Amino acid sequence: MNLNAKIPDGPLDQKWTKYKNTARLVNPANKRSIDVIVVGTGLAGASAAASLAEMGYKVKALCFQDSPRRAHSIAAQGGINAAKNYMNDGDSTFRLFYDTIKGGDYRAREANVYRLAEVSANIIDQCVAQGVPFARDYGGLLDNRSFGGTQVSRTFYAKGQTGQQLLLGAYSALSRQVGKGNVEMLNRHEMLDVVIIDGKARGIIARNLVTGAIERHSAHAVVLCTGGYGNVFFLSTNAMGSNVTAAWRAHKRGAAFGNPCYTQIHPTCIPVSGDHQSKLTLMSESLRNDGRIWVPKKKEDVEAIRAKRLKPQDIKEEDRDYYLERRYPAFGNLVPRDIASRAAKERCDEGYGVNATGEAVYLDFSSAIVRYGKAQANVKGIHNATDQQIIELGTKVVEEKYGNLFQMYEQIVAENPYKTPMMIYPAVHYTMGGLWVDYELMTNVPGLYACGEANFSDHGANRLGASALMQGLADGYFVLPYTIGNYLADEIRTGKIPTNSPEFDAAEKNVRDQINRIMNNKGTKPVDHFHKRLGKVMWDKCGMGRNEKGLKEAITEIRKIREDFYQDVRVPGTADYMNQELEKALRVADFIELGELMCIDALERKESCGGHFREEYQTEDGEALRDDNQFMYVAAWEWSGDPSSPKLNKEPLIYENIKVQQRSYK
């Protein structure tokens, strides 16, 4: 397998400029004869489709929801990073680049990450021009706040609704192109295969989720913007519909899958409450700006809280263990997500978890409320303010910054988080792995691109908070529109791609055969039965902690789940009509194969780095212990035809601009 990353020569800060100056172009008249399919219409997909259509390409956009406004990007809460240094606190393009590389535990490609930092400032200007209502300070200037893994404030935000507001901006740009006839919008369509002709991606096979019809769509290039695969764990912060099918079908057509074991566990989620749940709810990382995370120091206090004899407010300050502040004084509660998650797990594993299951810690705003209250009292000239006045004034400030998040927590948990600390626990949130792509965001299959969370390229082994929105919009607005022309310049004489070729016939037959196999299976168990089984294995043995014994057991168990799935799954209804159970079954079949690859990848990587924590490889104080001599590479897995026998290819990671060292946030 050829893994040419196509990184331009020259100094790091000149690579992207050099690339843009030398990339081939497609003139406006020729763009009108070139078709591009964009699969997925979240932030990466909507921005890519809108940008390509604005440039003159003929675009088809597929969305499996009824509207792009329902993309999972809408759920992002806390913000989007950009190196604008508005707070004058020492930020720069290089510092954002360095924080991202370090946060990813030195397992990302330098050139891609620097480009991401370089174009980040443009994203904010673009979104402001679209009318995105970013938070502003008293003087009307854009405001910033801090996120984990940094010592500067570079995160732009719109209360706790940043993803929603950014998505509406991208959706407006996409809708404009739909209205002009430059984008054909196909809602309620799901891609089920990629069509490869003479080694190039030439189209897709899709299912109309309303009618059940199998459709053929041809193009000169296919762009996958289909998000991550966190729902392989069943319980995650992802939307229920989020899946890996598009990326996995591309993988089975030859696209390498990069670093599949790199899963991000988010430290601030509402804890699991029972087997009835179908997903988990995220509490934004922005809450760690003002919230302090703690557990009781004494086991007897823990037992009293669990038995409801004590409330957290009853625990004296000196009897609280602010463990992140204790272990990581330089960053405190704003350490990266992987570190904060493992620290919470460690406290709970030691018996200090504060809910009935023992899997929760406190996120407490009482100190912030008092601090803000005293400041407001001084501003308002209220001398000798009472404790109640201070709390009321401070609560108003916190409500202005985080109000909708507090409302959401109260509706779910039925407790007032202004008065009682939130209970949080880590949960699967994001996947750093994805389809392998080069500097141009093209997979190793010519003409097949992957953007946003669907690719592996920018976050290494751990994503810093507020960088997902940054990457999705950077790829769609400012990277792909330049790089795709370098490929499409060779396609101007190709002409319209016909859909009646043997390759389209074979791809459609492959899709129909799998659907028929599932529909004709007269099993007894619903799809969720197998998804839950898979999720439990993945969480227990390939989650926050992994070890050789558990991973080997997981691989054996997943193979048994796959065997049972095809023997005993039951999908009611028919395939030639709307059938959501069939949709789920096709997605779970792919999750089962992906889950095995994730465990194989985690077993192969005998080190700890970022979100991949092999328990055998840790420092004396419990931190991740990398092995740079053996594992400083991207693991790019190749489909062999058998999910149990993937082939490992390696792209070496070379660091020329930063010093690789043990991560420390102390």
Side-chain angles (χ1 to χ4, degrees):
M1 177 177 284
N2 180 21
L3 294 178
N4 179 10
K6 302 178 189 172
I7 299 172
D9 297 328
L12 184 66
D13 60 353
Q14 297 176 25
K15 289 182 185 293
W16 181 230
T17 299
K18 178 181 178 181
Y19 179 90
K20 291 188 291 184
N21 289 340
T22 57
R24 290 176 296 170
L25 303 175
V26 181
N27 77 44
N30 287 332
K31 286 175 182 171
R32 290 193 293 269
S33 65
I34 292 180
D35 299 309
V36 180
I37 292 174
V38 177
V39 183
T41 50
L43 279 182
S47 59
S51 299
L52 295 174
E54 185 81 43
M55 294 166 69
Y57 295 108
K58 296 172 63 179
V59 178
K60 277 186 181 179
L62 273 74
C63 167
F64 74 73
Q65 296 100 342
D66 53 3
S67 167
R69 290 175 297 175
R70 294 176 65 86
H72 184 57
S73 302
I74 202 170
Q77 298 168 345
I80 176 171
N81 289 329
K84 278 186 169 290
N85 195 32
Y86 278 2
M87 309 304 284
N88 197 30
D89 54 3
D91 200 12
S92 65
T93 297
F94 186 87
R95 196 174 293 276
L96 174 53
F97 154 73
Y98 177 79
D99 287 345
T100 304
I101 289 283
K102 178 184 175 183
D105 218 354
Y106 305 95
R107 291 294 179 264
R109 191 188 289 149
E110 268 193 347
N112 287 64
V113 176
Y114 191 89
R115 176 178 63 190
L116 175 65
E118 195 174 354
V119 305
S120 64
N122 297 336
I123 299 171
I124 305 305
D125 298 337
Q126 168 89 4
C127 294
V128 169
Q130 290 175 337
V132 174
F134 286 122
R136 295 178 182 267
D137 63 21
Y138 182 78
L141 300 177
L142 294 178
D143 198 11
N144 288 146
R145 59 189 177 197
S146 296
F147 257 62
T150 72
Q151 291 179 306
V152 299
S153 295
R154 64 163 67 101
T155 303
F156 295 78
Y157 64 98
K159 283 197 171 181
Q161 305 169 348
T162 313
Q164 179 183 23
Q165 300 303 326
L166 291 173
L167 183 62
L168 289 173
Y171 174 68
S172 67
L174 175 60
S175 296
R176 178 172 178 267
Q177 295 304 317
V178 173
K180 294 177 69 174
N182 298 332
V183 173
E184 181 183 352
M185 191 71 225
L186 299 174
N187 294 332
R188 301 293 288 141
H189 281 69
E190 182 166 25
M191 188 200 103
L192 295 180
D193 210 346
V194 179
V195 180
I196 310 295
I197 301 177
D198 296 330
K200 295 181 178 182
R202 291 304 196 191
I204 64 170
I205 305 297
R207 182 172 182 267
N208 184 318
L209 299 180
V210 176
T211 67
I214 304 299
E215 301 177 1
R216 304 180 182 191
H217 300 277
S218 66
H220 300 90
V222 176
V223 184
L224 302 184
C225 307
T226 51
Y229 48 88
N231 276 351
V232 69
F233 291 87
F234 187 71
L235 286 180
S236 79
T237 66
N238 288 192
M240 284 294 292
S242 297
N243 64 84
V244 76
T245 288
W248 192 251
R249 303 298 172 86
H251 172 58
K252 295 174 80 166
R253 289 294 181 182
F257 210 103
N259 298 333
C261 78
Y262 286 166
T263 305
Q264 177 167 92
I265 312 296
H266 198 294
T268 53
C269 299
I270 297 178
V272 175
S273 60
D275 292 338
H276 63 281
Q277 283 181 276
S278 57
K279 73 177 300 294
L280 299 174
T281 303
L282 173 69
M283 289 285 101
S284 169
E285 182 173 317
S286 62
L287 296 175
R288 290 199 276 151
N289 273 277
D290 289 311
R292 300 177 70 192
I293 297 173
W294 64 276
V295 293
K297 289 181 179 179
K298 301 175 182 177
K299 289 280 184 70
E300 55 265 34
D301 288 342
V302 173
E303 294 300 326
I305 286 174
R306 290 181 185 174
K308 300 189 183 302
R309 296 193 305 271
L310 277 180
K311 296 180 180 179
Q313 303 94 305
D314 299 329
I315 306 299
K316 296 178 181 179
E317 190 71 15
E318 60 268 24
D319 292 329
R320 300 181 179 190
D321 179 14
Y322 295 97
Y323 57 87
L324 291 179
E325 299 171 31
R326 168 172 56 83
R327 292 180 60 178
Y328 309 100
F331 283 73
N333 293 293
L334 286 173
V335 293
R337 292 174 174 177
D338 61 318
I339 291 175
S341 295
R342 284 197 296 274
K345 181 178 186 295
E346 184 274 334
R347 288 290 79 196
C348 291
D349 287 349
E350 290 298 314
Y352 293 93
V354 295
N355 67 348
T357 65
E359 294 185 332
V361 299
Y362 287 127
L363 177 63
D364 193 340
F365 274 78
S366 58
S367 297
I369 288 173
V370 171
R371 184 177 73 251
Y372 285 129
K374 289 180 178 179
Q376 285 294 298
N378 288 334
V379 169
K380 295 178 181 294
I382 304 175
H383 303 294
N384 300 319
T386 65
D387 290 346
Q388 184 60 33
Q389 285 177 307
I390 288 173
I391 290 173
E392 289 176 358
L393 290 169
T395 297
K396 288 181 180 179
V397 176
V398 171
E399 186 176 3
E400 288 176 0
K401 297 179 71 173
Y402 310 108
N404 63 307
L405 296 170
F406 279 62
Q407 291 170 5
M408 184 166 63
Y409 180 89
E410 186 168 6
Q411 289 175 355
I412 294 172
V413 181
E415 285 187 350
N416 184 344
Y418 295 106
K419 297 180 179 179
T420 302
M422 293 182 182
M423 286 193 292
I424 58 169
Y425 193 71
V428 173
H429 178 57
Y430 188 91
T431 47
M432 286 74 66
L435 292 177
W436 182 91
V437 293
D438 58 24
Y439 190 73
E440 297 180 324
L441 303 184
M442 186 162 71
T443 69
N444 56 296
V445 176
L448 180 64
Y449 293 79
C451 297
E453 194 179 354
N455 72 35
F456 88 102
S457 70
D458 292 348
H459 306 297
N462 173 65
R463 176 176 67 77
L464 291 184
S467 288
L469 304 183
M470 176 175 62
Q471 185 207 353
L473 291 181
D475 286 357
Y477 280 137
F478 298 109
V479 179
L480 184 72
Y482 284 100
T483 63
I484 199 169
N486 209 36
Y487 171 79
L488 293 176
D490 287 333
E491 299 297 318
I492 58 178
R493 296 181 179 85
T494 301
K496 186 76 174 176
I497 308 293
T499 60
N500 59 351
S501 63
E503 291 85 356
F504 270 93
D505 293 343
E508 180 176 333
K509 182 179 184 301
N510 179 60
V511 168
R512 291 187 182 278
D513 286 348
Q514 187 181 22
I515 290 174
N516 290 335
R517 180 183 182 186
I518 289 174
M519 293 303 304
N520 293 334
N521 195 45
K522 304 305 180 185
T524 62
K525 301 288 194 305
V527 176
D528 279 353
H529 168 81
F530 300 97
H531 198 175
K532 288 179 179 180
R533 279 178 61 188
L534 174 67
K536 180 170 175 51
V537 171
M538 294 299 296
W539 178 250
D540 289 346
K541 297 176 180 177
C542 195
M544 273 195 283
R546 299 106 183 257
N547 58 59
E548 181 176 358
K549 177 177 180 291
L551 289 167
K552 288 180 176 178
E553 290 173 352
I555 291 169
T556 300
E557 291 171 26
I558 291 170
R559 290 171 181 169
K560 182 66 167 67
I561 292 171
R562 182 170 65 247
E563 179 184 342
D564 292 347
F565 175 83
Y566 282 110
Q567 288 182 352
D568 203 23
V569 71
R570 180 178 184 274
V571 176
T574 64
D576 55 357
Y577 194 65
M578 181 183 290
N579 191 333
Q580 293 184 325
E581 199 70 6
L582 174 59
E583 295 172 37
K584 286 199 298 183
L586 293 170
R587 295 167 187 170
V588 170
D590 294 329
F591 276 139
I592 293 171
E593 293 180 349
L594 167 69
E596 184 173 355
L597 180 62
M598 291 172 68
C599 294
I600 292 172
D601 185 39
L603 185 63
E604 177 72 23
R605 190 170 285 277
K606 296 179 175 63
E607 64 164 353
S608 291
C609 56
H612 168 64
F613 192 74
R614 281 286 296 269
E615 294 166 353
E616 306 96 319
Y617 308 101
Q618 55 183 298
T619 63
E620 290 182 0
D621 52 355
E623 304 297 339
L625 182 62
R626 299 193 318 267
D627 184 347
D628 295 333
N629 291 327
Q630 298 295 322
F631 296 99
M632 191 174 281
Y633 60 76
V634 176
W637 292 92
E638 182 178 353
W639 177 256
S640 69
D642 178 0
S644 298
S645 304
K647 180 182 177 182
L648 175 60
N649 301 274
K650 301 177 182 180
E651 179 203 341
L653 291 170
I654 300 171
Y655 293 97
E656 301 174 333
N657 298 275
I658 58 174
K659 180 181 179 181
V660 177
Q661 55 192 349
Q662 181 69 32
R663 268 197 317 174
S664 175
Y665 293 93
K666 297 185 177 181

